[in-house]
Amino acid sequence: MSATLTEAAPAENNGIEDQLDYLNQYVSFRVAHQLFGVPVNAVQEVLNPQAIARTPKARPEIAGLLNLRGQIVTAVNLRKRLGLPPLDSGQKSMNVVVRQGSESFSLLVDEVGDVINVSGETLEPVPHTLDPQWKAVTHGVFRLKEQLFIILNTAAVLRF
């Protein structure tokens, strides 16, 4: 995972300002050319494509299970969860491993970007025109220079 920050606010060396910056950092990734993010403090790690064991009779959004250093992690296919077509054959998904309660889940994404630092005051509510399936799992959006940055609600994504 890259530690490059974009759109960063000027840093000050008092503890409060550092904490606020940390709270406004998001790990960015793309799914079907759309930029998404999850809070950096929810991310356990980012992994290259991994071997995933299929699980019979699982919901369609569940790609299967992966072994993360002895820990079994459920892999969630974000394309299916968001009602998008599958990746082209030959392309492999990256893994954004997030914590939800005491469990870890891998969000399968097309590509992982940088950590983006934005002002929490510029978070806008979910647009009314957003697809209802996306609205159900979205916390809000940031307007970046050339695109929307959709912040996922990981608890809602993982609620099946």
Side-chain angles (χ1 to χ4, degrees):
M1 175 169 58
S2 172
T4 304
L5 299 179
T6 56
E7 303 203 11
E12 294 183 21
N13 287 330
N14 63 28
I16 296 170
E17 202 56 43
D18 289 342
Q19 183 180 12
L20 290 175
D21 284 348
Y22 179 74
L23 293 175
N24 295 316
Q25 290 181 347
Y26 298 89
V27 174
S28 69
F29 51 87
R30 290 193 182 278
V31 178
H33 304 293
Q34 176 58 56
L35 185 64
F36 289 94
V38 293
V40 75
N41 60 352
V43 176
Q44 181 176 325
E45 60 190 294
V46 174
L47 303 170
N48 287 321
Q50 300 289 308
I52 297 175
R54 303 283 177 219
T55 50
K57 301 193 182 218
R59 296 183 52 92
E61 300 92 354
I62 304 299
L65 303 172
L66 61 97
N67 184 342
L68 181 60
R69 293 179 299 282
Q71 178 185 12
I72 302 302
V73 176
T74 303
V76 178
N77 184 326
L78 269 185
R79 280 183 167 264
K80 283 190 180 179
R81 184 71 173 99
L82 296 171
L84 296 168
L87 269 175
D88 294 333
S89 63
Q91 288 185 291
K92 301 278 188 185
S93 297
M94 297 287 292
N95 297 268
V96 177
V97 180
V98 296
R99 300 281 305 164
Q100 181 66 34
S102 62
E103 293 186 61
S104 294
F105 295 87
S106 172
L107 304 178
L108 299 180
V109 303
D110 297 356
E111 64 182 277
V112 177
D114 292 330
V115 172
I116 297 178
N117 190 19
V118 290
S119 169
E121 296 171 0
T122 61
L123 181 67
E124 296 181 23
V126 179
H128 296 287
T129 56
L130 198 61
D131 180 286
Q133 193 168 357
W134 288 35
K135 284 171 74 169
V137 297
T138 302
H139 178 69
V141 298
F142 290 102
R143 292 182 194 274
L144 301 182
K145 291 178 185 172
E146 297 187 16
Q147 60 192 325
L148 284 180
F149 182 37
I150 299 175
I151 305 303
L152 289 179
N153 178 337
T154 54
V157 168
L158 301 172
R159 194 176 306 123
F160 301 107

